[in-house]
Amino acid sequence: MKENLSKDNKKLLLIDDDPNLILLVKDYLEFRGYNVATAENGREALEVLDRHIPDLIICDVMMPEMDGYALVKHIREEPTTNKIPVLFLSAKGQSQDKVKGLNEGADVYMVKPFEPEELVAQVESSLNQIKRWEQGRPRSLDGAPSIKVPHNVELTPTEIKVVQLVAKGMANREIAEKLNVSQRTIESHVSNMLNKTSLNNRTELARWSIESSMA
């Protein structure tokens, strides 16, 4: 029986090109009560991120297709993902390697091999930091962080269509296909709406659209 230690179904994304490590770490984290999605490299991870936004990302550094540095750079540049904590895993344990990983945008740098309990402790520490930050934000009556946007926000007709589909849980790729435009166009609309509303991610954008009766 799995230990559900009050993890509140937190979603993790685990990225590594070593299938044995993926199997071991995924099984251990799921045993501790987390929901774990996986990817074998950075490009595959981006496809997962287009469909689901995790609470934390655990990422190998050296991978084919797209390495951890390139992936975290992309994550930090996108408004929908730039707040997600990233935990780097790497066989390189020199001080300069750790400094580079943290400077590139990772929040935690762990050296392989590592003890599973240490990984769990780092994951829980990162998630607890987010929880403490969220507890300091204004909250609505249902206990969720209240969605506050500037009072003079105006969306274009196309942006309204996009946010309505975001609220339905559709990924950018699916919205692009439905509206017969490129995925990059949809990403641009989402980014513009996040800038207009000062919201942090697609989840907040979707909730705002529902609360304001747009969706």
Side-chain angles (χ1 to χ4, degrees):
M1 185 172 65
K2 293 187 177 182
E3 292 181 49
N4 270 313
L5 303 179
S6 300
K7 298 302 184 297
D8 300 323
N9 295 318
K10 290 294 185 182
K11 300 182 291 295
L12 310 179
L13 174 57
L14 173 62
I15 311 155
D16 201 293
D17 62 335
D18 182 347
N20 292 324
L21 185 142
I22 285 278
L23 184 63
L24 175 66
V25 174
K26 182 177 188 293
D27 187 64
Y28 196 88
L29 289 170
E30 288 184 337
F31 181 78
R32 296 300 296 264
Y34 293 101
N35 292 326
V36 184
T38 63
E40 295 182 356
N41 56 62
R43 294 196 184 282
E44 187 175 317
L46 291 179
E47 294 177 3
V48 175
L49 288 170
D50 191 40
R51 300 190 299 270
H52 307 289
I53 300 298
D55 297 288
L56 182 141
I57 295 171
I58 302 170
C59 182
D60 187 20
V61 175
M62 305 308 295
M63 298 179 292
E65 299 287 333
M66 177 187 286
D67 65 15
Y69 297 130
L71 175 62
V72 79
K73 182 176 184 295
H74 186 94
I75 289 170
R76 294 300 178 232
E77 289 176 346
E78 291 295 321
T80 54
T81 57
N82 63 14
K83 298 292 193 301
I84 302 175
V86 176
L87 191 159
F88 264 167
L89 302 176
S90 177
K92 295 184 176 181
Q94 298 296 320
S95 295
Q96 60 266 30
D97 298 315
K98 297 179 182 179
V99 169
K100 180 179 180 181
L102 296 173
N103 285 340
E104 290 288 335
D107 299 281
V108 179
Y109 189 104
M110 289 186 63
V111 179
K112 299 177 182 179
F114 52 85
E115 292 294 331
E117 284 294 337
E118 181 185 0
L119 176 61
V120 171
Q122 291 285 10
V123 168
E124 291 179 353
S125 176
S126 296
L127 293 175
N128 284 335
Q129 286 181 3
I130 297 174
K131 185 177 181 179
R132 287 193 294 271
W133 176 76
E134 289 181 341
Q135 286 175 341
R137 299 172 62 190
R139 306 184 81 81
S140 61
L141 293 176
D142 63 2
S146 60
I147 301 297
K148 295 184 180 298
V149 302
H151 69 279
N152 58 344
V153 171
E154 292 186 7
L155 302 184
T156 67
T158 301
E159 287 173 342
I160 292 174
K161 289 181 183 178
V162 171
V163 77
Q164 288 173 340
L165 296 175
V166 168
K168 291 181 179 180
M170 295 179 66
N172 289 343
R173 182 187 65 260
E174 296 171 318
I175 297 173
E177 292 174 354
K178 184 174 182 64
L179 299 183
N180 196 29
V181 297
S182 70
Q183 182 174 325
R184 177 55 62 184
T185 297
I186 299 302
E187 291 171 353
S188 178
H189 283 309
V190 172
S191 179
N192 287 340
M193 285 188 286
L194 289 171
N195 288 332
K196 286 181 178 181
T197 59
S198 298
L199 296 176
N200 295 312
N201 50 52
R202 292 171 98 256
T203 301
E204 290 187 355
L205 192 62
R207 186 176 167 206
W208 170 66
S209 71
I210 292 171
E211 290 181 354
S212 58
S213 301
M214 281 189 292

